[in-house]
Amino acid sequence: MRAAWPLATASEMRALDAHTIEHLGVPGEILMESAGRAVADVALAEWRALGRGDAEVLVACGRGHNGGDGFVVARHLHLLDVPVRAALLGGERAASGLRGDAAAAFARMRAVGVRCEGDRWRAPAAGVVVDALFGTGLSRALDGAAAAAVRRIARARAAGCRVVAVDLPSGLDADTGAALGACVEADVTVAIGLPKLGLALEPGRARAGRIFVARIGIADAAPGVGPLAFAPTRAAAGALLPPRPATGHKGSFGHVLVAAGSEGKTGAAALAARAAARAGAGLVTVACPAGLGDVMETLCLEAMTAPLADTARRGLAAAAEDALLALARERDVVALGPGIGREADTGDLVRAFAKRCERPLVLDADALFAFGDELERLRERGAPTVLTPHPGEAARLLGVRAADVNAGRVACARELARRSGAVAVLKGAPTVVAAPDGAIAVNPTGGPALASGGTGDVLTGAIAALVAQGADAFAAAVAAVFAHGLAGDRIGRRIGDAGLLAGDLADALPAALAALREAARDVASDRPVPGPPALLVAFPEPDRDARRRRRPRARVR
């Protein structure tokens, strides 16, 4: 995807690295030198930021390629007159076991006079620790001297040292972001070549600190590799938004039908409708139980309402099926489920309507409950479908535990999409969007401010609005999730991590979407293009709005 960051698994990164060396003819020593120099630049910046001439840098190195990068870091810092020491797992005696590029890097480091310590290295009293112990090759929990080295890094950080991780914090699973046991917590991580998938997932994202990507010339594509998962940038998300021509009118920008609401849950329907309008839909109609029509008229000033047959408990009845289908035929997309309730009669309506509806369908909340663990029934649909479950709903749909969903968010999102033939939006930290063809987007926006009732209804309305305006289902989901998270982040920066109201979030969508469109007009600052070895690009989404408040924007050419 244009301007998005590819996210590589460990095996994908190894294949890209091998392709670059074996088929493109770039020597591994060149790549290691470039990687080490890029990390040295970051470590140097961290060291200078301490403002202390007596601060040291300690580079903790393993015996593989990650350690080789560390040897290059130590050599460059030494040549820049930075007080630096290296520590090698197993000490000088282990150096005889180094092979290939790592052995050559170690010899060069020793040749310039860098002192190398063993497993009982002394942490700097104040300074920077570079974690170059393990990278993508790690697949098991650390033990022995390796685990002790991780604990030493943790103590150094607790004492005030800054920690810079090479490629991944040691002990982190490159694919899932899970800690495999003892795991480094870094202040800064410099991903080499491409960010790893685990850096975009929790808890890896939190353990990595600020994440940068060093573009050192490793290919982004190779035969048999991919498609890679990706993390959209503002520019990438903005490029997915449907156009807004100057000659457009309310009829040009789609008509959303929101089928939602039940007794005590009219707010969910109103929020989805409000979000659809705020996300640019030209027209919105709310189909609701007839007994709640007056309430909905009051809540939805900008949307039309269509009262339908209801149950004794004022939920949508199965008898409303034909009327709801007739409404859908006159609209561009249907958002079904917010606050719709779990009565058996309503569940019958949801399943029958989903099967017969020929319009794109966004299924949320209680509409997902109606399908139980029978996702395959949605494959009968001929029109695009988007599912928006939270982990608990996803667990029910897949027949697993919520903990299993959170431990394997990418795999679960893919399975939801595969079974249903729909685009799956697995909400959470972070939200993962999966397409039926296996495409994966990991969203970098959003935080704890979104942990408030009704924010999911807002997302449903936003996705439906973008589909109504002409975006395909996957593009609409990716862009809406990004804008939804960005709007929440902006509110969070003003009020903190608690207290956001879903209505406030809906009202913040227009400005968030405008920011994405602006970014898409100038993708140069977001596109991950190769550059000098030390070119570093911020990842994930930086707080650009704060930077703009501090100083005028400088245009990048």
Side-chain angles (χ1 to χ4, degrees):
M1 178 175 290
R2 186 186 186 197
W5 274 112
L7 298 170
T9 63
S11 62
E12 288 167 342
M13 202 66 230
R14 285 194 293 270
L16 294 173
D17 197 55
H19 176 73
T20 301
I21 295 170
E22 297 168 11
H23 297 282
L24 302 184
V26 182
E29 281 189 283
I30 297 283
L31 297 177
M32 184 171 287
E33 185 70 20
S34 299
R37 178 56 193 268
V39 177
D41 284 352
V42 173
L44 180 64
E46 293 295 311
W47 178 75
R48 285 175 171 164
L50 293 172
R52 296 181 51 162
D54 61 340
E56 289 183 289
V57 177
L58 185 286
V59 185
C61 302
R63 295 188 286 267
H65 283 90
N66 211 246
D69 295 341
F71 303 146
V72 176
V73 173
R75 174 167 57 84
H76 277 288
L77 293 177
H78 177 80
L79 294 173
L80 292 170
D81 292 327
V82 176
V84 60
R85 293 176 285 124
L88 174 62
L89 282 179
E92 287 275 8
R93 285 187 298 178
S96 61
L98 296 173
R99 295 289 182 267
D101 300 334
F106 180 81
R108 294 188 188 105
M109 179 191 75
R110 295 294 285 122
V112 300
V114 176
R115 184 157 59 95
C116 185
E117 302 177 8
D119 295 331
R120 296 184 178 276
W121 50 269
R122 174 181 54 80
V128 176
V129 176
V130 176
D131 164 28
L133 294 170
F134 298 95
T136 57
L138 188 67
S139 59
R140 60 177 179 81
L142 299 178
D143 55 16
V150 171
R151 291 192 292 269
R152 284 177 181 271
I153 292 174
R155 289 195 294 270
R157 187 169 186 264
C161 286
R162 304 283 292 172
V163 175
V164 176
V166 178
D167 206 24
L168 290 165
S170 292
L172 191 75
D173 188 294
D175 295 354
T176 68
L180 296 172
C183 183
V184 167
E185 186 169 350
D187 296 290
V188 180
T189 295
V190 184
I192 306 301
L194 292 175
K196 311 309 175 287
L197 181 58
L199 292 176
L201 301 168
E202 294 294 356
R205 187 166 66 174
R207 285 191 170 272
R210 290 182 295 126
I211 303 170
F212 294 90
V213 182
R215 303 289 292 163
I216 65 170
I218 297 175
D220 288 354
V225 178
L228 301 182
F230 69 90
T233 61
R234 287 194 186 197
L240 298 175
L241 295 175
R244 302 282 296 182
T247 56
H249 51 82
K250 65 183 180 182
S252 307
F253 299 122
H255 194 155
V256 174
L257 176 64
V258 178
S262 61
E263 189 169 48
K265 297 181 179 179
T266 51
L271 284 167
R274 183 172 176 178
R278 287 295 196 185
L283 294 165
V284 180
T285 296
V286 180
C288 62
L292 299 174
D294 290 346
V295 175
M296 206 63 70
E297 290 271 5
T298 303
L299 291 175
C300 301
L301 299 180
E302 293 85 4
M304 295 171 279
T305 57
L308 300 180
D310 57 359
T311 66
R313 295 171 59 185
R314 295 200 294 181
L316 284 172
E321 180 185 341
D322 288 339
L324 188 56
L325 285 166
L327 287 169
R329 281 192 289 270
E330 301 299 320
R331 273 76 182 172
D332 297 289
V333 62
V334 181
L336 177 64
I340 207 169
R342 297 182 178 182
E343 288 188 79
D345 209 33
T346 305
D348 291 341
L349 169 68
V350 168
R351 290 185 294 272
F353 174 79
K355 183 177 180 178
R356 295 178 60 192
C357 178
E358 298 177 351
R359 294 298 188 195
L361 187 59
V362 183
L363 289 173
D364 183 34
D366 292 335
L368 296 172
F369 182 86
F371 282 92
D373 59 357
E374 298 179 303
L375 274 174
E376 288 77 8
R377 296 177 66 165
L378 288 169
R379 300 188 71 89
E380 302 171 8
R381 285 183 39 77
T385 309
V386 181
L387 315 179
T388 62
H390 59 56
E393 292 163 342
R396 187 171 187 271
L397 292 167
L398 295 174
V400 299
R401 300 174 305 158
D404 299 326
V405 173
N406 283 323
R409 298 186 63 77
V410 170
C412 287
R414 273 204 173 107
E415 184 65 5
L416 287 166
R418 186 192 68 80
R419 289 194 196 178
S420 65
V423 172
V425 178
L426 178 54
K427 296 182 287 194
T431 294
V432 177
V433 184
D437 65 2
I440 290 287
V442 181
N443 187 59
T445 62
L450 292 176
S452 177
T455 57
D457 304 315
V458 171
L459 178 60
T460 296
I463 295 171
L466 297 185
V467 172
Q469 293 170 73
D472 70 65
F474 185 67
V478 172
V481 167
F482 193 105
H484 178 267
L486 179 60
D489 290 343
R490 287 178 157 193
I491 295 172
R493 287 166 195 150
R494 293 199 310 269
I495 70 171
D497 290 341
L500 176 148
L501 299 179
D504 297 337
L505 183 65
D507 292 343
L509 285 175
L513 290 165
L516 302 190
R517 293 183 189 279
E518 179 185 356
R521 287 192 286 268
D522 179 17
V523 299
S525 61
D526 278 321
R527 189 185 301 128
V529 297
L535 176 65
L536 304 171
V537 183
F539 172 84
E541 176 69 7
D543 185 359
R544 298 183 181 180
D545 305 305
R547 291 207 301 268
R548 286 177 182 170
R549 289 192 293 271
R550 289 194 295 268
R551 62 177 183 272
R553 182 184 182 191
R555 190 172 183 83
V556 178
R557 296 189 180 276

